[in-house]
Each structure stands twice: as C-alpha cells, then as structure tokens.
Amino acid sequence: MAGTKTNNKDMYYPSKEIIEQANVQDYEKRYKYSIEQREKFWEKEAENLDWYETWQTVLDDSEKPFYKWFKGGKLNIVHNAIDRHLKTWRRNKLALIWEGEPGDLRTFSYHALNREVSKFSNILKSMGVKKGDTVTIYMPQIPELAFAMLACAKLGAAHSVVYGGFSVEALAERVFDARSKVLVTADGGYRRGKVNDLKGIVDEALKRSPTIESCIVVKRTGHEVYMESGRDFWYHDLIELPIACNGGCETEKTDAEDPLFILYTSGTTGKPKGLVHTHGGYAVYTSTTHRYVFDIKEEDRWWCAADPGWITGHSYIVYGPLINGATVMMYEGAPNYPYPNRWWKMIEKYGITILYTSPTAVRGLMRFGDEWPKRYDLSTLRLLGSVGEPINPEAWRWYYEVIGQKRCPIMDTWWQTETGGFMITPLPITPLKPGSATKPFFGNEIGIVDDQGKEVSTGEEGKLVIKAPWPGMARTIHGDPDRYVQTYWADYKKQGWYKAGDSARIDEDGYVWIIGRIDDVIKVSGYRLGTAEIESALVSHSVVSEAAAIGLPHKLKGNAIHAFVILKDGVQQSSQLGEELREHVKQEVGPIARPEDVTFVDSLPKTRSGKIMRRVLKARTLGEEVGDLSTLEQ
Ligand code: WT7
C-alpha cells in the first residue's frame, strides 16, 4: 500500500507494511517512559552491547556539564562493531560494499573487515601509536578510511578525521591542535573523473606540522607523489611486513569514557572546535538511534551517502551500522559522475534498501529530471533519510514521490557533530510533514526558548535547547574545556540546558521545524563553515585589509558564501583580483569554502566594539529591513 496524504494538513502517513515491521511500534508511550526513566531507558539499550565490565553508574552528573555515561564500564567500540560478530554467522556477512568512482568494486565480510583492521592496527602499533594518542586521518572515501578509524579505536587511540575536501591550512591547524605524531593519507582520490591530489596538500601541510613523525600513504590513484624518506611509508609495503600480520591484533579494553575520536567543526571563531566523543555512550547512542530510526534489519543494505570524514559518516557509515551488524554501502565519488544515473544504478545493482543523504544531494539530482531515476528498479528501497540542513518541501516531495515512489517514509534527522547522533527525528511509524524533523528521539527533552529561557508560544521562532544529557553527547572540546562550557552551556547556565545554535519553531501538533543557524556558521551544501575561517583566510592574503563573509540563499547549496573585502591602501580593485581571492580561500580552507563572489567595499558595518555585523550586511545585500541598529557604529 502506498503512503497516503491528507489534503488539509499536508501530512504523509506510513503504509501498513512499514508500520507492521517497524522496530518501534509506540512512540508516545515509550517517549514518556524514556523521559521519566531516562537512566533506565539507556541502561536497557546499553545491555545490547558487549561489555568487558559493567558500569557502576549510568549517568554521573557530579561535574556538570561534563557528564559521564556508563562510568566504570569497560568496552571497546570495535569489539562491538567487529569482534563479537565473528563468533556468529555474521562472520560471513558482508560488512562493507564499496564502489570507487571509476567503477571498481571491493567487498568485505565481517571476517575480512577484521583482518584489514587488525593489520592496520598492527602497523599503527609498530609506529608507536597507543592509548592516549591521536592519529590524524586525511583520506578519500575509500575502505582504508574506515579501516584506519577502526584500527585506532581498536588500540584505544583516538582518531581525528579531517575531511578530504579541506586544504592545507585547515589540515595543518587540525594536525597541530591534536598533536598527532602519525598521519594516515592516500596519494589521492577521484572526484568527477579527476584526481584530487591529497598527498600534495599533505606535503604542504606537513611543512607547518612539527608534530608529525610518520605518514602512512595508501595508493589509490597511482599518480606520482613525493615520498619523504624516513617519514612517508606506502601502506601496501607496510602490510607485507611481519609486524602487520602476526595473527590478528588484540582489542584494547578501554573505559566507557575513554576518547574514541576528535572531530573538528566550525564555530564562531577562526579556530575550529575539536569535539571529543567517547567509546561507551557514543556506541550506545549511535547503534540505538540507527536501529530505531532506520529500522535496521538483518537483510538490509544500508547506504549513508555522506563522507566518512564528517560526523554523519562516523556515526552512520562506520560505528552505528557496524555495531548493528549491518551491510554498509560506501561510494567514493560524485553522485552525477559520469552520468546523473550513478546513484540510481547503484541502488539497483546492490539492492539498497535504505538511502540516507542530504537535501543538497537531493536537489542536485532532482535538477536532472525524473528520467534518470525512472529507468532503474528502485523497488528495493524501503526507507529514505535526510540530514544536514532543512529540506525544502519541493525537494522532499521529489525524493518521496520519484525516488521513494510514495512507499518510503523520509527520516529527516536533526542532529549535530556535538550530539553524536539523531536528536529530533521521525521513526518509520511517524506521520510526516515535508520539511519538519518531527519530534525528539527517546530520552531527549527539547525546548524552543527566548534569551531568558522562557518557552516561546506555539508557532513562534525561538532558540533550540536540549534540556537533559544524552549518551551520545560530545564530552568536551579537545584542549579547551572552557570553550565547551562557554559555547554550549553558558547561555542557559541556570537551567543547565545545552544551546544548539539553531533557531526553530514547534507547531500545534508538536512538530519541530528547524529554521537555521543563529551563530556565525554558514551551512553550504550541508557543510558547516565558520564565517571567521573564511575571513581569516581572506585577510591572510597580502592585499586584504579587512573581510566579512555571509551566507545567502542558494537554490542548490542551501546557502552560498559571499565575501566583502576592504583592500589595503593603494591596491586596485579588479575582477581578476576578486577571482584570485576566491582561489586563495579555496587553497587555504578547501573547495567548499570558495566564495560565490567577492565584493570590494570601503567599509563594513560594525558595532561600537568593532564586531562586524554580518546580519546587517546580509539584510542590506538582500534588500531587507535591517532592524535595530542602535549598536551600529556608523
Ligand atoms: C547543523 C549541524 C548532523 C550531521 C550533519 C551536520 C543543521 C542538521 C538538520 C536537519 C535542519 C539540520 C543544523 C545543525 N542540520 N540536520 N535535519 N534539518 N537542519 O552536522 O556539521 O555538526 O551541523 O546542521 O543547523 O545545527 P554539523
């Protein structure tokens, strides 16, 4: 039975089949229980994992906001994601199906995954990596990226994955902040038929990275790269050494609160925030959310089309699905390469049952028309998902009607790098409204409030807060606990609430509608960029005196970056110079940060204290009312 739509409320109901097989049958009752008995709820979920030692306390809130979950418990996320499956028939189940952009295919059973990860662990160990270290990983979307992450975790070391689309300065800064001694990379990756020269970027970044001693290089593209003797080692050479294959590798018995990874994300200052996630709470949270929201079944083929270099990939390509023993699909390249049928062809070829992607990807594929997906058999699809930014109703309907063929509910999941997993999301049984992430996940209490913490009225816009701790929450900002407190917990200190940094509203049915960021963060194609990072890249160019970056609406990307630049005295404006500055940002931060355009100006709107008022700049550019300007300097 196809999903039906009511006329009056634009509500989409799941079919009987979807409801009948859903892993969760009753939202309201269970939600109520999860709020009233939060610790009991999570304790029960934690029991689905294998622990070396059970916890003494489910939630320790003695040092708020530095919450601890499952304190005293010992487990390793890799033991749960791989080792324990090897004792069952899942040993021979496909863990990973990977397709490269040129069309190459590699598959790994759980048995094979264990072999690859163990080899990688042994290599890292031979380079001195141990508990307490952080290994930086800068890779294209190839299986070795996942192997490297899991290999670190297996040893009890933390990983810090830097998205392969970032460039020299962004990489160097993250390597240094994490004080990594080992970097894992590849010669390059494929994107739109071209080679992305990662090793070239690494070489430049390492000139600015005094902490790195060794660099492991996976051969992917085979183009010529510089290898520094004594520092750079080919992965394919290392795995042949006796040290790599000495009969597996023991999994370290980590504490629940031991760091699993650092993941950097943009904030309101130029310095990225290294959010720290841990083995225990994160394992419980990602696996539980994945199982309930995406209704994961043994026979599913799960495809999260994000990059593993972002939190989405960490939580829902690598950790959550593998803990659940799922078969995970991973694809290296662009969705429309060489033709816009690429994704639909892969869904047919591999029999994908669940597709999780971003509004940007949906919009990007939608513009090529219905003919491309219509030529393929998409009947294996059961559920769809969206993440990264609000999905506009037009894209939602196309996704629902053309891709899901009115059969597959769309899980519009709201969450953040900081939250580790889904926070506001439908379940397969939830009636949907296009553009709404619907309701909070179990255990999560949210509020839409004003600056004083008072709930705004129904339908009104306010600030999104999370009122109680959850196991998947980031524990701190690496090396800067004060910033963690300041950024997330200071505004509603009295109430003890977490400030998400988004504005939202709740409608009369209790459905949450996310509006967007309220801080100086721009979401470009779902990627999070700080205005400060773009501005500091601009002022690092010799001709620039001052710069401001804002996000303006863009049909495909959601938002696009527009830069305003004051040139130094005597420097001539020209369109060529504008182009050079755009390239400069791309070189320093990465292609996603390249401004859409650069406008030369003589002054920038500022507060009396000298802060750039991007809000004013944005309103002026859009020709909108500027609002209260009492703090404006000019
Ligand atoms: C920000 C977090 C969560 C993984 C990817 C992004 C926006 C995320 C949604 C959604 C509306 C969304 C928010 C949030 N966002 N999901 N379903 N609907 N907005 O992680 O880079 O940490 O960004 O992405 O603004 O604060 P991130």
Side-chain angles (χ1 to χ4, degrees), residues 5 26 31 101 162 216 234 373 433 460 527:
K5 185 189 150 188
D26 49 336
Y31 178 73
E101 200 188 66
V162 178
I216 302 174
W234 286 110
K433 299 187 189 189
E460 237 177 75
Y527 295 131

Side-chain angles (χ1 to χ4, degrees), residues 609-622:
S609 61
K611 264 175 94 176
I612 297 169
M613 295 187 82
R614 296 182 191 81
R615 179 176 64 84
V616 172
L617 209 51
K618 190 169 167 175
R620 275 188 195 160
T621 315
L622 291 172

Side-chain angles (χ1 to χ4, degrees), residues 312 388-390 412-417 502 514 517 523 528:
T312 315
E389 55 179 319
D412 179 354
T413 60
W414 177 89
W415 58 296
Q416 308 175 302
T417 307
D502 278 19
I514 304 292
R517 300 290 308 186
K523 281 252 141 182
R528 181 163 155 183

Side-chain angles (χ1 to χ4, degrees), residues 53 67 79 299 343 365 419 481 483 488 509 603 610 631:
E53 276 171 42
Y67 294 95
H79 172 81
E299 59 276 20
W343 274 21
L365 289 164
T419 71
R483 190 173 175 198
Y488 304 109
D509 298 321
S603 68
T631 55

Side-chain angles (χ1 to χ4, degrees), residues 297-488:
K297 302 283 192 284
E298 207 61 78
E299 59 276 20
D300 271 319
R301 286 198 161 177
W302 158 256
W303 184 12
C304 164
D307 189 297
W310 299 95
I311 191 70
T312 315
H314 281 52
S315 301
Y316 299 112
I317 296 178
V318 181
Y319 293 112
L322 294 179
I323 294 171
N324 288 332
T327 296
V328 175
M329 168 79 203
M330 188 169 154
Y331 166 61
E332 178 186 33
N336 57 346
Y337 187 83
Y339 300 105
N341 63 349
R342 186 67 191 259
W343 274 21
W344 321 128
K345 206 170 146 180
M346 283 192 287
I347 289 172
E348 179 180 284
K349 179 170 176 190
Y350 302 112
I352 301 298
T353 54
I354 313 167
L355 173 68
Y356 182 40
T357 185
S358 65
T360 291
V362 172
R363 287 192 295 263
L365 289 164
M366 180 171 86
R367 87 191 140 121
F368 295 108
D370 301 1
E371 287 312 307
W372 295 99
K374 280 205 167 139
R375 278 193 291 137
Y376 292 89
D377 177 6
L378 305 180
S379 64
T380 50
L381 286 175
R382 190 174 94 245
L383 288 171
L384 298 171
S386 172
V387 62
E389 55 179 319
I391 181 163
N392 49 310
E394 193 198 353
W396 194 99
R397 285 197 189 90
W398 185 80
Y399 197 25
Y400 183 79
E401 284 164 15
V402 180
I403 305 309
Q405 300 164 345
K406 303 185 183 168
R407 187 184 65 239
C408 314
I410 300 174
M411 303 298 106
D412 179 354
T413 60
W414 177 89
W415 58 296
Q416 308 175 302
T417 307
E418 291 85 345
T419 71
F422 311 146
M423 298 299 286
I424 304 172
T425 174
L427 296 168
I429 56 168
T430 310
L432 303 172
K433 299 187 189 189
S436 167
T438 74
K439 298 191 174 184
F441 187 73
F442 300 126
N444 289 328
E445 247 174 302
I446 61 158
I448 313 280
V449 301
D450 65 14
D451 287 337
Q452 281 68 49
K454 198 171 143 284
E455 296 285 335
V456 301
S457 344
T458 305
E460 237 177 75
E461 181 175 345
K463 293 181 176 174
L464 177 62
V465 295
I466 301 167
K467 296 183 171 176
W470 63 102
M473 66 201 301
R475 299 300 193 263
T476 188
I477 292 176
H478 175 69
D480 203 349
D482 289 348
R483 190 173 175 198
Y484 175 73
V485 175
Q486 224 31 54
T487 310
Y488 304 109

Side-chain angles (χ1 to χ4, degrees), residues 15 23 50 92 121 275 321 359 367 427 446 475 516 543 551 585 615:
S15 67
N23 288 347
D50 254 18
N92 293 321
S121 288
L275 291 152
R367 87 191 140 121
L427 296 168
I446 61 158
R475 299 300 193 263
V543 299
V585 177
R615 179 176 64 84

